[in-house]
Amino acid sequence: MRKPINVTEPVYQRMLAKVQIDEATGCWVFHGKRYRDGYGMVSVDKRWCRAHRISFHFHNKDENPLVVRHLCHNPPCINPAHLAGGTQKDNARDRMEAGRGGYLKGAHNGRAVLTEADVLFIRSSPENGAALARRFGVTRTAICSIRRRKAWTHI
């Protein structure tokens, strides 16, 4: 269990002063300081807390879930109607159902160096693995895995 957050009325009002309501979605978008991932951050008792957790705890004082999930899938939203408690498994399921998570194949993966066209070229090229590795900025092992269809299997 997480340590409960002591959310007082002044803390909540200070946070609400930085909110703008999106009429189209109903989201209460927090425009204060944010983490890199887009979630709002608020100082409570000399520690930084996620704004959506503060909103959830203020409206659900008896609950202390492991995860506070965004039903709207909008990280800066703090609308209590868009938040629900749950587990990490619930959160992962929500993310998959919204098409926002999971394994992304090929060039859709943010860490991909190659494109589908590069892979097709590598498979059809008579060049040796070392030359292709230098050309595309990958390892010889990566080239070998592509040619043996152990990598980029969806193509």
Side-chain angles (χ1 to χ4, degrees):
M1 286 295 253
R2 284 181 174 260
K3 182 179 174 186
I5 302 170
N6 181 25
V7 182
T8 61
E9 182 73 29
V11 168
Y12 189 69
Q13 291 303 321
R14 177 170 43 101
M15 187 175 72
L16 282 182
K18 298 174 183 172
V19 168
Q20 187 173 29
I21 297 175
D22 182 335
E23 299 294 332
T25 63
C27 288
W28 298 1
V29 182
F30 181 74
H31 287 285
K33 189 171 181 139
R34 291 188 190 176
Y35 291 97
R36 281 186 183 164
D37 56 9
Y39 293 92
M41 58 194 303
V42 177
S43 176
V44 179
D45 296 333
K46 298 182 182 179
R47 70 176 182 158
W48 289 104
C49 300
R50 293 187 179 254
H52 68 286
R53 287 191 68 85
I54 292 172
S55 180
F56 183 85
H57 283 285
F58 185 79
H59 292 279
N60 305 284
K61 296 190 185 326
D62 296 334
E63 268 190 80
N64 189 25
L66 294 175
V67 176
V68 175
R69 301 161 24 227
H70 278 92
L71 302 177
C72 60
H73 306 290
N74 184 9
C77 178
I78 64 165
N79 182 345
H82 293 188
L83 303 174
T87 64
Q88 188 58 41
K89 187 174 183 176
D90 297 330
N91 202 30
R93 186 187 62 245
D94 292 346
R95 192 173 59 244
M96 291 300 289
E97 287 172 359
R100 295 181 53 237
Y103 175 73
L104 298 176
K105 293 181 178 183
H108 296 291
N109 184 316
R111 297 184 335 182
V113 174
L114 302 172
T115 65
E116 280 82 358
D118 295 338
V119 171
L120 293 173
F121 178 85
I122 290 166
R123 286 187 179 150
S124 65
S125 174
E127 284 184 72
N128 68 35
L132 288 170
R134 280 191 302 277
R135 175 188 287 205
F136 290 102
V138 296
T139 64
R140 285 183 10 208
T141 303
I143 299 297
C144 183
S145 294
I146 289 168
R147 285 183 161 169
R148 295 177 73 203
R149 298 188 187 279
K150 300 283 184 189
W152 292 77
T153 57
H154 64 287
I155 297 179

